[in-house]
Amino acid sequence: MMIQDKLKNTDMKIAYCLFGTYSTGGIERVTSVKMNWLASHGHEVYLITTGHFGKPSYFRLDERIKHIDLGLGYEEPGQINRLTIALRNRPRYKKHEAKLNRLFNEIKPDIAVAAGWHEAEFLYRIKDGSKKVLERHGYLHYELAQHNLYYRGIEYPSLLDKLKHWTRLAFFKWVAHHKIDLARKFDCSVLLTERDRQGYKGLMNTAVIPNPITVFSDKMSPLTNKVVLAVGRLGIEKNFTELVEIWAMMAKDYPDWTLRIVGDGYEKEAICRAIQKYGLEAQVELLPFTNKIQEHYCGASVYAMTSVFESFGLVLVEAASIGLPLVAYDCPCGPSDIIKDGEDGFLIPMHDKDAYSKALRRLIEDESLRKRMGANAEKNSERFSLDAVMHQWEELFAKLVGAR
């Protein structure tokens, strides 16, 4: 029997373990969308959280989803550094595991998914008969890459800075090895990109399923508005200051074109300084994030990404789905899984600002190329549609349940 035929007769009981859905983060949004799809397609879905304490979900949840909160109250990322948070949270794991063990033996799920931060450490140990799936929402070496960026930003590191740097390097390398070790213990570990999977040393129990498109528009970009768009959190890894530098190399040749950056974050002042340094106030717009981001996609003609690393790069998929040609650095991980170089956009070697500006120039000057690539981008983005992605999840779950 074909997998798709089997799925029609297989309604599964699926438990998602997550810290919560009360805030606006990407993990919460994507998990909510996936759970809603599964619930609407006949599966019995449980959302098991650790610290809602009566707070409502920020994202709409299908009324058929059964939400159970364990009331553990973990420390969350914020003002405290990650290491301190980890040390404070770890003592709660024993109680967390015991509660999940009792709950799973009561509800008897077919599939249990570690979708958040904590359950990866112990979910595989629970012996209730369910298949255990680990979701990795980030790049394997995310912490290491993030730290290296911060350290390179210290102009004159002191001896103490260097000692902290070496200590953190060792710690974050251990973190990556620990992720691989945990992945080995689950029935399946699901990663976002093929490029990220290369770091998991050939583990046979991994699968690659991308994030689905979660921003929708009933219209496409006409590709006639003279706007190059970039969207994202204004953090150092997004490298928006380098995008401003690239724009400075070419802006005078296209005085009627605008670079529009949409987002919020701690790098805003640095980006503003770069805009002022190059005298680009009239040709660069820095706008706050909006829940109607599709209006910005529809109002642009080219999408630009200069990230140093990504976990996936969902904004590329969103922009492509509205018909924008894409230009991105070939960073780990995401762009090379999304962009078909020369077909729906351009993949540029890291930090090659000349090559990046040439790609933008081609798309700005050649409307027929822009429209051809935009049409290809829209077509290619269909592989990231919610139905396409969720059928991959259904197939994976069915295979795992069938293997019991």
Side-chain angles (χ1 to χ4, degrees), residues 93-310:
Y93 284 175
K94 186 175 181 180
K95 182 179 181 181
H96 190 170
E97 182 178 351
K99 283 193 170 189
L100 276 182
N101 191 24
R102 288 194 295 272
L103 179 61
F104 282 0
N105 279 285
E106 177 184 332
I107 66 176
K108 299 292 184 183
D110 298 301
I111 300 285
V113 183
W117 303 318
H118 308 296
E119 293 84 2
E121 297 291 333
F122 53 79
L123 189 67
Y124 62 88
R125 292 199 296 255
I126 297 177
K127 306 300 181 186
D128 64 310
S130 66
K131 290 295 182 177
K132 307 300 190 300
V133 176
L134 173 61
E135 274 195 63
R136 284 299 186 195
H137 298 275
Y139 164 44
L140 175 61
H141 298 289
Y142 177 93
E143 293 86 357
L144 184 62
Q146 185 85 351
H147 169 68
N148 279 330
L149 277 181
Y150 284 121
Y151 183 71
R152 285 200 291 269
I154 302 174
E155 190 171 359
Y156 301 108
S158 66
L159 178 59
L160 180 59
D161 289 328
K162 292 177 182 178
L163 287 172
K164 287 181 178 178
H165 171 60
W166 296 328
T167 302
R168 287 169 179 163
L169 278 181
F171 175 69
F172 291 135
K173 287 178 181 177
W174 175 84
V175 167
H177 286 297
H178 184 56
K179 288 179 184 178
I180 295 169
D181 185 54
L182 289 175
R184 187 178 289 110
K185 296 174 180 178
F186 279 76
D187 294 295
C188 186
S189 292
V190 181
L191 313 172
L192 291 172
T193 67
E194 288 290 346
R195 188 162 175 178
D196 194 30
R197 177 149 68 171
Q198 293 171 11
Y200 281 79
K201 303 182 185 302
L203 291 185
M204 300 304 294
N205 65 329
T206 59
V208 173
I209 303 179
N211 279 331
I213 298 169
T214 56
V215 169
F216 307 99
S217 174
D218 57 1
K219 60 181 180 180
M220 296 292 106
S221 168
L223 301 182
T224 53
N225 297 307
K226 296 180 177 181
V227 174
V228 174
L229 178 67
V231 177
R233 187 174 66 90
L234 304 185
I236 193 171
E237 73 279 7
K238 302 299 183 183
N239 200 25
F240 286 129
T241 54
E242 187 162 320
L243 181 58
V244 173
E245 292 171 11
I246 293 167
W247 192 242
M249 296 165 61
M250 52 188 294
K252 66 180 185 302
D253 297 326
Y254 310 102
D256 51 349
W257 278 75
T258 299
L259 170 63
R260 180 175 296 154
I261 300 172
V262 179
D264 301 293
Y266 62 86
E267 277 284 288
K268 182 176 181 179
E269 289 186 10
I271 297 167
C272 288
R273 286 196 299 271
I275 293 169
Q276 293 167 1
K277 175 182 176 181
Y278 295 107
L280 294 173
E281 291 90 343
Q283 279 186 268
V284 179
E285 295 177 354
L286 188 55
L287 303 178
F289 185 77
T290 171
N291 288 328
K292 297 180 179 179
I293 194 64
Q294 55 267 48
E295 294 179 4
H296 284 302
Y297 290 131
C298 290
S301 292
V302 180
Y303 189 85
M305 174 184 278
T306 47
S307 295
V308 179
F309 60 86
E310 285 284 341

